[in-house]
Amino acid sequence: MANTGYGKRATGDEDPHADPDFAHLLPRDAEIAVFIDHLDDGHAMGHKVIAAEHPHYGQQACRTSLKSLTGVGHLRWIKEHITVEDNSMRWVTRTYWSRTPRSAQWWAEFARERHGRDVTHDYQPGLARAEDPAPEPESESDGTPETDPTPEPSAAYRALVQLRATDPRMPLSEAECRALEPLAAEYLSRGATPADLTRALTDGLPPTITNPGGLARTRLETKMPPKKNDAVQTRPLRARVTRVLMACATCDADERTAKIINGVCEECRAEPDMTEEEIKKGFEEIAYLGTTTARFLKQKLERRTGGPVPDTFRSVPIEDRVHYHYRDNRDRIANGLPPRRWKP
């Protein structure tokens, strides 16, 4: 299962289950479609996760089938820009599943209807494709979104840091912000907003302040809102979808940077799907060529230019270009994409 708020989501308004649900698909795609259809809502939808649980097919087969299911209208990846009541914003990628195949026009209208939706009880902090972390070369993902090693600053800490911009007489240092963060967090937990906290710390200030940290602590303690009754739930911050974009099923491209056709960008659509044997062969070739390729290519370029060309005359040293080229192809092959040709 993905983290709360991510993973498989049903579009709703579907036909009831029936034997010919996926009869229009190729056998492998139909089998994976049945498998996905029976997953619980919220299940991680990355091809690595599905491959780890499917008894018959590996990562490449699952990736190819997800691409096919997207093309015929069963799947869509949709990026939603979420704006929260505390003025924080983030992008998330939702995975929508429809047992009934839908047309591109239906999906476009479905995405437009997402704009403006209240998702207060339905969002989690994170980035795009939070339920489908980037593939790692030697380990399988369990579908849990990866977290950034540096935790996101809390709303209380951000409000304290912004005091300097709101009123120059309250320039709190980082140490003071950290020390006051628990008090500020308690202030916000009692139903106050960051704007309320800022007003409490900046209204009616004297002309000169010699100890802004001490003054902030005194005001937080003396102006602390009353505790709410434990039986009364604190109202969560409202969150709303403020922008919606179609995303490619096989890469991170979206409508801002690529033309999305039936859920797949043009570049991914043009690339042929690799077989398991082609993937194995690609890794073997990269392992065999190694650093010797850089020497051969360098000699070829030198023959073309009539002699050695110092790296200071190149925008990027030839060894670095070869390194980047093979590293890129290694990652592409690991994701089931064909390698790119070398362009001297």
Side-chain angles (χ1 to χ4, degrees), residues 71-84:
V72 298
H74 288 290
L75 264 176
R76 280 297 186 275
W77 273 263
I78 299 178
K79 286 186 179 180
E80 299 176 3
H81 187 262
I82 309 297
T83 300
V84 190

Side-chain angles (χ1 to χ4, degrees), residues 265-276:
C265 71
E266 288 183 310
E267 184 176 349
C268 291
R269 183 174 295 277
E271 292 174 335
D273 294 316
M274 297 179 67
T275 65
E276 299 287 349

Side-chain angles (χ1 to χ4, degrees), residues 42 104 184 209 235 240 269 284 302 337:
I209 299 175
R235 180 180 67 81
R240 191 172 298 277
R269 183 174 295 277
E284 289 175 348
E302 288 176 351
L337 299 173

Side-chain angles (χ1 to χ4, degrees), residues 70-121:
T70 302
V72 298
H74 288 290
L75 264 176
R76 280 297 186 275
W77 273 263
I78 299 178
K79 286 186 179 180
E80 299 176 3
H81 187 262
I82 309 297
T83 300
V84 190
E85 193 175 16
D86 62 359
N87 293 323
S88 63
M89 293 174 284
R90 57 186 58 91
W91 282 99
V92 297
T93 300
R94 309 295 191 195
T95 310
Y96 290 100
W97 168 257
S98 172
R99 185 186 315 117
T100 305
R102 310 289 190 176
S103 66
Q105 292 75 18
W106 188 95
W107 280 112
E109 181 62 28
F110 177 83
R112 280 195 294 270
E113 290 176 354
R114 294 294 304 166
H115 188 276
R117 290 283 184 93
D118 189 315
V119 290
T120 301
H121 301 285

